[in-house]
Amino acid sequence: MRKVGVPRDVNAAELKRDLDAVFGDFKRLCNDPNVRKDVDKFARVSGYLSAEDLETQFTC
Amino acid sequence: MGYSPQAQYIIDYLIDTLIAKTCIIENEYVDKDYLIDYSGFFARSFERIERFTKRIHFFSNSFSQEDFEQSISLFQNNIQDTKFEHDLINDLKKSYLGYVVIKPVEYSMGQPLIGRTILKPPSKSVNDSFDTRECIIRKSNANLYGIQLNVDALPFQVQDSAVAACATVSLWMANSKINELFGTQEFSPIEITSRATEFIESGRNFPSTGLTVKQMVNFFKGIGLDYDTVNIDHLAKILNDNNYSENKKALIEEYLKEVVPDAVKAISRAGIPIVASISLIRKDHDLIEDHEHHAVVICGFRQNENGQVTKLYVHDDQIGPYCRVKDASPTGKFLKWNNEWVTREGYSEVTLDKLLIPIYPKIRITFDIIYSYCRQLRSLNPGLNFDLYLTTVQDYKKMLLRLPFKDKVSKLKESMPRFIWVISVYKGESLVREWLIDATSHHMRIFNEIDYT
């Protein structure tokens, strides 16, 4: 079972500082239009259904 | 139940996993799904086919038919006796494992077809292990001679090739949960096939020869839903295409490593069953002899104490409910499957081609979009673990209520969107933060942070 809270062997203040920094980076990533452009481009590839894909018939 | 492979699988599952001891057979049961299929197809056949089905209820307690009948009889005479009610009815209710409907239609080998089957999933905890199982369930009940019996499980049934093939049955199994989640209508297999094939298509609608991917997504759209796709097959083809750069290929290779377990965990948490398109390949001396497309429903997974998915559970109408799938892929996790198709049916390879995810249209941030951001967080912060899941405001607040975190009261009081993507941040095995993204927004809007430190 996974636990909740600061692990025993970790300095709480240091962890908080690190997490705040990661959160800041995450917010910047989310607001960066260039990142979003790349993300959308990849999603169009991974979620793309070609005409051939659409005609795949499940015969089992 | 007969001797069809699915019946044998269900019997083994009942004995080995659910430890069933007793069953009660209702010899004349009116099953709504079968009745609709009957009126739409069999009623106009010359052959005499029964309208009634048989329903078998299973219990983990041991009791004889005589004891059971005597108990019911006594119960009628002692209706005011609450202690008696407690002893008799509660014991039955507690030990209820679910039911199997047997249709009067014969399988090609002369065996009866398995209809609506609602059996308890394997338990959450795993004996002698820290592993846990997560299965998608819906609330179901059965009324046996006036006794209300409850079972939480995802319904299963075997295809009746007159009105449905594997794709229709997969949609039926998925829809049985989706209608609870998103309020869509319930449909019988014949209704699903009719809706999915209402546009002009090549081939006959009935007897069903099997739906196409297009017909499956038509069905989702037709019931007011949308869908997300993870097209593994397409990405795998790019890896072998010389027109693509090495950079692009490396990106795809990295993506394929974890996308299946990550998608299953993220989507199953919201209770959404994923329809998986798989290829069954039979080879003779490395040459493909047979290649068939099959649709199944991913209804759960098993994870170890680090949260890594070690097994998938699928409802496969050709095998049975909660079939265990082991990873057989040397490259990305669960891109190739090892299950009964290989061990029992003798296929050389089972590959996962696509994941079709039925989605409520208000969930506008797709899995692929949010997953890309999650993967970037992982690559930038190797000292932390990031998990992704979709949830609803009700479920999320229910979970929050049970956990300790900063500003608990004010966070619980805040209004939140109906659908939420959650990125959980772990330090080692400990959950330390959660970042909440509005799934109903058209852009990546982080609207809250939960601090568990």
Side-chain angles (χ1 to χ4, degrees):
Chain A
M1 190 62 86
R2 301 181 97 175
K3 302 168 197 88
V4 176
V6 182
R8 273 190 199 157
D9 54 345
V10 171
N11 180 304
E14 268 177 36
L15 178 66
K16 186 183 169 357
R17 200 179 55 223
D18 290 350
L19 289 169
D20 287 343
V22 176
F23 188 44
D25 291 342
F26 181 45
K27 283 199 274 196
R28 269 190 295 279
L29 273 180
C30 292
N31 291 323
D32 186 334
N34 290 324
V35 172
R36 181 60 197 247
K37 217 167 121 185
D38 288 344
V39 165
D40 284 347
K41 214 187 280 179
F42 190 83
R44 275 197 293 274
V45 176
S46 60
Y48 174 70
L49 286 175
S50 66
E52 192 190 342
D53 286 326
L54 287 167
E55 291 309 322
T56 302
Q57 190 176 19
F58 298 99
T59 50
C60 275
Chain B
M1 280 171 60
Y3 297 97
S4 65
Q6 296 93 335
Q8 290 303 301
Y9 188 95
I10 289 170
I11 290 167
D12 288 346
Y13 177 73
L14 279 161
I15 293 170
D16 300 337
T17 306
L18 298 184
I19 324 288
K21 300 265 176 56
T22 312
C23 70
I24 296 175
I25 304 171
E26 276 181 279
N27 278 315
E28 281 200 341
Y29 173 68
V30 179
D31 180 65
K32 188 184 167 196
D33 283 310
Y34 174 67
L35 200 61
I36 296 170
D37 290 356
Y38 177 88
S39 64
F41 190 90
F42 299 109
R44 298 188 69 186
S45 300
F46 180 73
E47 185 185 355
R48 269 192 203 145
I49 294 171
E50 255 298 325
R51 273 192 309 126
F52 291 97
T53 64
K54 209 160 67 172
R55 183 162 71 159
I56 311 176
H57 301 267
F58 296 92
F59 300 85
S60 57
N61 274 1
S62 289
F63 53 88
S64 69
Q65 184 175 343
E66 199 184 353
D67 290 344
F68 176 69
E69 286 175 1
Q70 196 181 11
S71 299
I72 292 179
S73 158
L74 285 171
F75 178 68
Q76 289 168 345
N77 293 332
N78 294 277
I79 198 97
Q80 301 301 325
D81 187 339
T82 51
K83 187 184 176 298
F84 185 81
E85 180 184 351
H86 174 82
D87 291 346
L88 171 71
I89 306 300
N90 281 358
D91 279 358
L92 266 182
K93 284 180 175 176
K94 274 184 205 158
S95 73
Y96 191 54
L97 300 172
Y99 64 81
V100 177
V101 168
I102 311 294
K103 294 182 189 177
V105 183
E106 282 186 356
Y107 185 63
S108 57
M109 288 149 68
Q111 299 299 321
L113 273 178
I114 304 286
R116 178 186 285 266
T117 295
I118 305 189
L119 293 175
K120 265 189 171 178
S123 64
K124 190 176 168 75
S125 59
V126 180
N127 287 345
D128 306 323
S129 166
F130 290 110
D131 288 10
T132 51
R133 299 185 189 98
E134 302 289 340
C135 286
I136 294 171
I137 52 165
R138 66 156 293 157
K139 289 193 184 307
S140 302
N141 55 59
N143 195 298
L144 176 66
Y145 313 137
I147 305 164
Q148 181 87 1
L149 300 166
N150 300 314
V151 61
D152 292 343
L154 186 72
F156 166 89
Q157 76 166 299
V158 173
Q159 65 177 270
D160 173 349
S161 55
V163 298
C166 61
T168 295
V169 173
S170 293
L171 291 176
W172 179 84
M173 294 189 279
N175 191 48
S176 62
K177 175 65 188 180
I178 293 167
N179 69 59
E180 187 192 60
L181 288 174
F182 304 139
T184 56
Q185 204 185 321
E186 271 190 271
F187 297 102
S188 83
I190 197 169
E191 292 172 319
I192 291 174
T193 306
S194 299
R195 277 184 160 256
T197 56
E198 64 189 357
F199 301 108
I200 297 169
E201 299 287 350
S202 62
R204 296 186 58 151
N205 294 353
F206 297 105
S208 177
T209 49
L211 302 182
T212 61
V213 172
K214 189 163 81 181
Q215 289 168 334
M216 291 178 85
V217 299
N218 268 344
F219 173 75
F220 289 138
K221 297 247 180 187
I223 59 170
L225 298 181
D226 221 318
Y227 67 96
D228 282 354
T229 316
V230 179
N231 196 342
I232 294 152
D233 190 29
H234 176 60
L235 294 170
K237 277 178 191 155
I238 293 176
L239 290 180
N240 297 318
D241 189 335
N242 291 332
N243 293 316
Y244 285 86
S245 71
E246 288 308 313
N247 274 351
K248 183 84 179 173
K249 287 182 184 180
L251 197 72
I252 289 172
E253 217 162 33
E254 198 55 39
Y255 172 87
L256 286 175
K257 273 185 189 165
E258 297 280 344
V259 66
V260 179
D262 284 342
V264 169
K265 274 179 81 173
I267 304 297
S268 299
R269 184 90 180 245
I272 301 173
I274 299 175
V275 178
S277 156
I278 59 174
S279 277
L280 308 175
I281 301 163
R282 211 184 284 276
K283 286 183 178 171
D284 185 18
H285 297 96
D286 282 344
L287 295 172
I288 295 175
E289 200 178 65
D290 196 9
H291 182 175
E292 290 176 275
H293 296 284
H294 184 41
V296 300
V297 173
I298 299 175
C299 57
F301 60 90
R302 176 171 162 170
Q303 62 182 346
N304 63 20
E305 56 187 318
N306 299 319
Q308 287 163 333
V309 176
T310 55
K311 270 184 196 131
L312 300 180
Y313 295 103
V314 300
H315 273 12
D316 184 329
D317 85 294
Q318 297 291 295
I319 300 172
Y322 311 110
C323 305
R324 284 182 292 262
V325 173
K326 289 182 194 161
D327 178 23
S329 171
T331 50
K333 285 181 188 160
F334 294 99
L335 300 182
K336 286 186 181 171
W337 290 7
N338 184 7
N339 66 351
E340 278 75 5
W341 285 109
V342 177
T343 55
R344 193 185 73 190
E345 301 296 324
Y347 280 85
S348 319
E349 214 172 89
V350 178
T351 61
L352 177 59
D353 298 336
K354 290 169 194 62
L355 299 176
L356 297 175
I357 307 162
I359 282 286
Y360 193 69
K362 237 177 94 170
I363 302 169
R364 285 147 187 157
I365 299 283
T366 64
F367 167 75
D368 256 337
I369 301 280
I370 187 82
Y371 186 52
S372 286
Y373 285 97
C374 188
R375 284 174 54 238
Q376 291 197 37
L377 282 171
R378 283 176 183 166
S379 69
L380 293 170
N381 304 283
L384 297 167
N385 296 318
F386 298 89
D387 255 9
L388 171 69
Y389 66 92
L390 178 67
T391 188
T392 59
V393 57
Q394 294 96 330
D395 288 344
Y396 190 67
K397 283 197 176 177
K398 222 184 277 173
M399 186 207 72
L400 281 185
L401 189 64
R402 293 195 293 264
L403 294 176
F405 59 92
K406 231 164 252 174
D407 306 324
K408 186 167 177 173
V409 176
S410 66
K411 293 274 179 190
L412 284 169
K413 277 182 174 177
E414 282 178 35
S415 69
M416 293 184 185
R418 179 174 168 194
F419 298 105
I420 305 165
W421 281 109
V422 182
I423 294 184
S424 303
V425 189
Y426 288 87
K427 179 73 182 170
E429 286 170 28
S430 287
L431 176 65
V432 286
R433 288 271 169 105
E434 280 192 324
W435 297 326
L436 314 185
I437 296 105
D438 178 1
T440 68
S441 174
H442 62 290
H443 66 104
M444 282 288 291
R445 193 177 77 84
I446 307 165
F447 70 89
N448 219 323
E449 181 187 32
I450 305 295
D451 186 354
Y452 297 102
T453 60

